[in-house]
């Protein structure tokens, strides 16, 4: 069994996942709009450019997302964080800095009693992240 985070955006899913592809050095495996589906005729044309499904593979992990339609907005992404566990201090610093660009750092990336590095941030899209590095390989 794998557990995959699935994020819901209010229209900026494409921008977020294009950003995550670079920041996490992953590979977008799918990105489909509402207008590209067989149900396109049942979706207002002004919503055709919204993302109905996307998935980003990072190593053997997957993160997925979509946009919601304007008639069903989500109220931010509070109450949940995506935890990234990396194998080196250098990778922790790279990922943390990339995700923090134009976002908000809630806890700077630093040594803790349990980890070589740990930090928390909210990226420019409102997604909360925790970056954890327990050992430096």
């Amino acid at each position: 069994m794998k557990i995959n985070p699935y994020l819901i955006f209010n229209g900026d899913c494409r921008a977020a996942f294009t950003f995550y592809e670079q920041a996490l050095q992953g590979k977008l495996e799918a990105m489909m709009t509402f207008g590209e589906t067989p149900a396109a005729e049942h979706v207002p044309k002004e919503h055709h450019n919204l993302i109905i499904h996307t998935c980003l593979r990072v190593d053997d992990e997957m993160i997925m997302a979509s946009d919601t339609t304007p008639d069903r907005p989500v109220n931010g992404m509070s109450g949940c964080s995506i935890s990234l566990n990396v194998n080196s201090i250098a990778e922790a610093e790279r990922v943390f800095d990339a995700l923090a660009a134009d976002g908000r750092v809630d806890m700077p990336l630093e040594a803790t009693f349990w980890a070589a590095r740990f930090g928390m941030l909210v990226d420019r899209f409102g997604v909360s992240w925790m970056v954890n590095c327990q050992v430096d390989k």
Side-chain angles (χ1 to χ4, degrees):
M1 179 184 300
K2 291 231 181 220
I3 298 172
N4 302 110
Y6 199 103
L7 306 175
I8 307 294
F9 292 88
N10 286 316
D12 53 0
C13 182
R14 179 184 304 278
F17 268 64
T18 301
F19 171 70
Y20 299 151
E21 181 180 34
Q22 297 300 311
L24 302 175
Q25 296 181 343
K27 174 73 174 140
L28 282 171
E29 291 195 347
M31 186 173 287
M32 179 180 287
T33 66
F34 281 86
E36 295 171 325
T37 70
E41 65 187 60
H42 303 289
V43 177
K45 289 217 185 283
E46 62 269 19
H47 302 162
H48 280 201
N49 64 328
L50 296 174
I51 302 301
I52 194 168
H53 179 72
T54 188
C55 54
L56 175 69
R57 179 166 301 282
V58 180
D59 296 326
D60 65 341
E61 301 294 329
M62 185 80 71
I63 182 172
M64 297 179 264
S66 67
D67 284 315
T68 187
T69 54
D71 60 317
R72 297 174 42 188
V74 293
N75 188 16
M77 297 210 191
S78 63
C80 185
S81 293
I82 298 176
S83 179
L84 299 176
N85 296 284
V86 299
N87 292 324
S88 73
I89 291 172
E91 181 68 353
E93 291 171 347
R94 185 197 67 74
V95 169
F96 190 88
D97 290 345
L99 290 170
D102 298 323
R104 181 184 82 228
V105 173
D106 290 337
M107 179 179 174
L109 188 68
E110 57 193 12
T112 66
F113 66 89
W114 74 87
R117 293 292 184 278
F118 178 81
M120 298 176 2
L121 64 99
V122 177
D123 71 26
R124 68 180 88 165
F125 301 100
V127 176
S128 296
W129 298 86
M130 297 185 294
V131 177
N132 190 59
C133 173
Q134 294 198 312
V135 292
D136 190 15
K137 293 182 182 176

